[in-house]
């Protein structure tokens, strides 16, 4: 149960009524030639699917439908399933853009400190360790 709560905390924020989610556009992964992006041919249907080997987004996408959508308005975004990698270009999607809803978690748009490529700041309130 703790694992689910921790992953939810890194991909969405529900501290206020704004309801923010971290999302990624698979088109940015394709454009950046991400090494974690994979594709395979389904032997039963003959369709080609692509996905993220690191499970940054958890769905597999039909490549033909993706390319068709990209020729039009674009495929769109997917909610992150885990912490993004350093090479991931994610964005924040807000459910509400009303001026009366003030964001209480302004650091949510920053790169998460729990990810494998995270850069954590040190806290000077505890002093510096002598080495």
């Amino acid at each position: 149960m703790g694992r689910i709560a921790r992953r939810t905390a890194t991909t969405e924020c529900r501290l206020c009524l704004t309801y923010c989610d971290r999302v990624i556009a698979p088109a940015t992964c394709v454009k950046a030639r991400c090494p974690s992006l994979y594709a395979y041919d389904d032997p039963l249907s003959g369709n080609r699917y692509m996905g993220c080997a690191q499970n940054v987004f958890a769905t597999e996408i039909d490549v033909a439908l993706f390319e068709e959508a990209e020729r039009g308005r674009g495929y769109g975004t997917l909610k992150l399933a885990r912490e993004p990698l350093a090479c991931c270009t994610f964005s924040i999607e807000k459910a509400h853009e009303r001026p009366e809803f003030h964001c209480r978690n302004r650091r949510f748009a920053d790169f998460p400190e729990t990810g494998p490529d995270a850069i954590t700041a040190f806290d000077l309130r505890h002093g510096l360790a002598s080495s």
Side-chain angles (χ1 to χ4, degrees):
M1 187 66 169
R3 173 177 269 170
I4 294 170
R6 185 176 55 226
R7 284 191 178 181
T8 299
T10 61
T11 61
E12 64 185 33
C13 179
R14 302 295 187 258
L15 293 179
C16 59
L17 295 175
T18 305
Y19 295 150
C20 299
D21 292 317
R22 285 190 177 114
V23 294
I24 190 165
T28 62
C29 303
V30 173
K31 185 177 180 181
R33 295 183 179 203
C34 179
S36 298
L37 198 63
Y38 68 88
Y40 73 93
D41 295 322
D42 183 20
L44 298 176
S45 66
N47 293 342
R48 175 168 278 198
Y49 294 95
M50 69 177 185
C52 178
Q54 301 295 325
N55 288 329
V56 173
F57 59 90
T59 60
E60 291 184 336
I61 302 165
D62 187 321
V63 173
L65 295 175
F66 174 79
E67 290 172 347
E68 182 181 335
E70 284 298 306
R71 284 191 293 271
R73 297 181 71 195
Y75 185 79
T77 59
L78 299 171
K79 184 177 175 183
L80 295 183
R82 58 160 287 195
E83 300 90 358
L85 303 174
C87 60
C88 296
T89 307
F90 69 92
S91 60
I92 304 299
E93 185 175 279
K94 296 179 180 181
H96 303 287
E97 292 285 347
R98 296 182 184 172
E100 65 265 20
F101 296 154
H102 299 286
C103 181
R104 294 185 186 186
N105 187 3
R106 295 171 194 241
R107 295 213 44 217
F108 185 70
D110 298 342
F111 195 83
E113 295 176 352
T114 57
D117 299 328
I119 300 170
T120 56
F122 59 91
D123 191 353
L124 290 176
R125 290 179 289 182
H126 304 294
L128 294 173
S130 61
S131 42

